[in-house]
Each structure stands twice: as C-alpha cells, then as structure tokens.
Amino acid sequence: LQQLDRRVRETNRLSLAKRRQIEDEAASMAAQQAQEMLIIDAATRASEEERRLLQDFAEKREGTQAELVATHALCEDLERQRRQEQEEHSRKVARDKRQLEKTAEEALLAARRAELAKTKARLSRNTRQQVVEMERMDGEMVLHREEMVRFCVC
C-alpha cells in the first residue's frame, strides 16, 4: 500500500510537473500569439494608414487632375486672348504705319513744294536781276553805239 501510495504521489508529482510544463508551454504560446497579434495589429494599422494615404493621394490627384484640366482651359483662353490682342496690335501697327507713311509723304510733298517755292523765288529774283542787268546792258549798248556813231561820224 505504501508502495502504491508512493507511486500515486510520484504519478501526481509527475502529472503536476507535466501539467506545469504544459501550462508554461501554453502560457509561452499564448504570449507568443499575443506578440504575433500585436505585430499583426501593427501591420494592420500600418496597412490602414497606407491605404488612407493612398486614398488621400488619389483624391488629391483627382483634384490636381481637375486643376490641371481647369488650368489647361485657362491657358487655352489666355493663348486665344493673346492671339487676338496680337492680331489687334498688328492691325494697329499696320494702320499707324500707313498713317505715318501718309504723313511722311505729305511732309515730303510739303518740303518739295517749299523747295520749289524757294527755287522759284530764287529764279524769279535771278531772272529779275538778269532782266535788270540786260536792260542796263542794253542801255550801255545804246550808249556805246551812240558813242561809236559819234566817234565814227566825227
């Protein structure tokens, strides 16, 4: 009986030791699983954060794309306006050039008329001087003839 009692105690002791070992292993496994769950949870949170960031990026990209489309339309409008203003400026420049050419022609014509008037006045003055000179010379010739006639007749 004592031997049986020793065996029962020994079996209980071994059983307790085995149960402690199993409980330790279970606790270790539970701790390991808890740690893995923390890692998985952290990875899940990181994945969620990355998904949120990607979604924000996509929304911003869509917003940016919309801005680009709007900006492109604005640029096209500005380019169209620039071309219109350039065409209008070219027309004004051409008009101003024609006006300046007309004014220059008028000024040249006025200068030619003034020069012609000066030339006429100078020629007129020269002609009058020549007429006066010719009349004086005619007078001298008449005097000279008269003297020649007097000189020869004498």
Side-chain angles (χ1 to χ4, degrees):
L1 200 57
Q2 275 186 344
Q3 197 177 10
L4 188 59
D5 192 39
R6 264 189 270 153
R7 275 190 185 169
V8 169
R9 281 188 204 148
E10 182 64 24
T11 304
N12 279 341
R13 187 185 64 79
L14 288 174
S15 187
L16 281 174
K18 189 68 171 170
R19 187 178 299 160
R20 281 187 197 135
Q21 181 184 358
I22 291 172
E23 286 175 358
D24 287 347
E25 286 177 7
S28 174
M29 287 176 79
Q32 188 176 1
Q33 284 179 347
Q35 193 171 11
E36 288 174 359
M37 289 300 288
L38 288 174
I39 291 171
I40 290 171
D41 188 50
T44 302
R45 275 184 271 136
S47 177
E48 270 301 307
E49 180 65 17
E50 186 175 347
R51 186 195 60 75
R52 188 188 60 75
L53 290 172
L54 286 172
Q55 187 175 1
D56 288 350
F57 174 75
E59 288 172 4
K60 286 178 184 176
R61 185 171 155 244
E62 288 172 5
T64 302
Q65 189 172 7
E67 287 177 22
L68 286 175
V69 169
T71 301
H72 181 69
L74 180 63
C75 286
E76 286 179 345
D77 288 345
L78 288 173
E79 180 62 23
R80 192 173 15 264
Q81 182 181 359
R82 185 193 66 79
R83 282 191 207 122
Q84 288 173 349
E85 288 175 359
Q86 188 175 13
E87 289 170 2
E88 184 179 333
H89 176 71
S90 295
R91 283 193 298 274
K92 286 180 180 179
V93 166
R95 184 194 67 215
D96 291 349
K97 182 179 178 187
R98 286 190 301 273
Q99 184 64 36
L100 285 173
E101 287 172 350
K102 183 178 176 184
T103 303
E105 287 174 8
E106 291 172 355
L108 182 60
L109 184 59
R112 285 182 180 165
R113 285 181 181 154
E115 189 62 34
L116 182 60
K118 283 184 198 176
T119 302
K120 279 184 179 179
R122 192 182 68 226
L123 288 176
S124 179
R125 189 178 63 237
N126 285 345
T127 304
R128 282 189 304 243
Q129 286 175 350
Q130 286 176 353
V131 168
V132 169
E133 185 66 25
M134 287 182 78
E135 287 174 355
R136 187 186 60 77
M137 287 175 82
D138 281 345
E140 286 181 6
M141 288 296 277
V142 168
L143 285 176
H144 182 63
R145 267 191 234 130
E146 287 175 2
E147 283 181 13
M148 288 293 274
V149 167
R150 269 189 264 152
F151 184 68
C152 289
V153 176
C154 308

